[in-house]
Amino acid sequence: MQRQSEGAPRNRTDIHTLEAVALAATHSAAMASHAWVGRHDKDAADAAATDAIRQVLADAPGRGTVIIGEGEKDEAPMLYNGETLGNGLGPDFDIAVDPLEGTKFCAKNLPGALATIAFAESGSLWSPGPGFYMDKIVVPPQAKDVVDLTDSPERTLHKVAQALGKPVSELRVVIMDKPRHQKLIARVLQAGAAVHTPAEGDVGGSLEVLLPTGNADLLLGIGGTPEGVMTAAAVRGLGGGMLGRLAPQRDAEADAIRAAGMDLDRIYSCDELVSGDAFFVATGISGGSLLSQPRESDGTVLAESLLISSGQVRHISHTTFGSLPRMAGLPS
């Protein structure tokens, strides 16, 4: 149920009046962090993106609450959980945000860095509390009813392959290249599937699974809870399937989750992670198969964004006069 406050009438369509704000926020973050592409300072890039998003959201026509922000688990710059933004003259809404997904990609000038955000009706985004990590499965719509997070990787591969009408040997699986995934990657390879192992960026990996133009069939493994909730907004919009379960990576995190009264064995569906009307936005920073990096052309700056909402995928081109932001003190 959406919170009510004084001002304009609230209804389920209100959230979509904020799409332009979300696009402006990720575009601003992409422009700010682009100056740090290839400079091997991921925290500075993250801080630039965070400041840019916060400035845009401060003037949003409504009252947004950050339900889940990125950065706390890494002690990086962040929009903090519970932070409120906006001018109050519009709908209340929930925010899940990662101003710079793929900080290492940005720092090392590798493809895949994105500015990402999701807006949802007030009260509809799941809060992970002190949980920073979650185990996830993301699949396209054809396989959404067959997956179970308690299945073995081999059984999951078999069921997804059957749902997609292809042999396991033709499946393309995204699993982040982390030490915690070594055994999972080995089992998936042994089962015959191909594995794409990005260093980070499970939102981008999930989009490769969900989008018709994507290059993957399934995402498995443990990633961040902020990325999980934002992914769920995209999954909900595109009719895909997703399951998640808290997966603490340190004893202190597990103890905090239990102290908060949360069940480490509970499996959350996509509709539990995002229970109301929502949309997801991403803007490209360092390029890649999903979105191009911002670039200059004939006195203008071109950038690309993706908006996923209510069964629709929109690719948006931003064209502004001028040049890309540059770091102070560096030659033009």
Side-chain angles (χ1 to χ4, degrees), residues 282-300:
T283 300
I285 296 173
S286 62
S289 59
L290 291 171
L291 293 164
S292 298
Q293 65 179 325
R295 59 198 184 278
E296 296 180 7
S297 177
D298 298 328
T300 62

Side-chain angles (χ1 to χ4, degrees), residues 41-43 45-46 100-108 113 200:
D41 191 338
K42 63 184 182 66
D43 287 343
D46 205 5
L100 176 51
E101 197 215 20
T103 54
K104 293 178 183 177
F105 294 154
C106 179
K108 296 181 180 181
E200 56 186 355

Side-chain angles (χ1 to χ4, degrees), residues 11-152:
N11 57 57
R12 287 184 63 83
T13 63
D14 268 342
I15 190 66
H16 296 284
T17 68
L18 296 165
E19 289 175 357
V21 174
L23 284 163
T26 58
H27 178 263
S28 182
M31 293 298 101
S33 57
H34 186 270
W36 292 93
V37 168
R39 301 197 179 278
H40 290 239
D41 191 338
K42 63 184 182 66
D43 287 343
D46 205 5
T50 299
D51 289 345
I53 277 191
R54 181 178 276 116
Q55 288 177 20
V56 172
L57 295 184
D59 294 325
R63 183 176 61 193
T65 301
V66 178
I67 302 302
I68 183 164
E70 175 62 28
E72 187 175 351
K73 71 177 185 293
D74 301 316
E75 297 183 353
M78 64 180 295
L79 288 121
Y80 60 86
N81 294 1
E83 181 174 357
T84 57
L85 299 156
N87 62 18
L89 304 177
D92 292 353
F93 58 99
D94 288 351
I95 302 169
V97 59
D98 186 352
L100 176 51
E101 197 215 20
T103 54
K104 293 178 183 177
F105 294 154
C106 179
K108 296 181 180 181
N109 195 13
L110 298 173
L114 302 169
T116 60
I117 201 165
F119 285 1
E121 290 183 293
S122 180
S124 63
L125 291 187
W126 172 73
S127 173
F132 297 143
Y133 292 91
M134 67 187 307
D135 196 6
K136 309 164 192 170
I137 294 178
V138 178
V139 293
Q142 305 95 304
K144 69 177 183 179
D145 295 324
V146 305
V147 289
D148 185 336
L149 205 51
T150 65
D151 282 342
S152 67

Side-chain angles (χ1 to χ4, degrees), residues 56 101 216 230 236 280 299:
V56 172
E101 197 215 20
M230 282 186 291
R236 184 180 175 92
F280 167 87

Side-chain angles (χ1 to χ4, degrees), residues 172-189:
R172 298 157 299 178
V173 185
V174 178
I175 305 172
M176 286 196 296
D177 188 8
K178 302 290 185 182
R180 59 180 178 263
H181 291 149
Q182 288 181 356
K183 291 182 180 179
L184 174 61
I185 292 169
R187 291 177 69 173
V188 171
L189 289 170

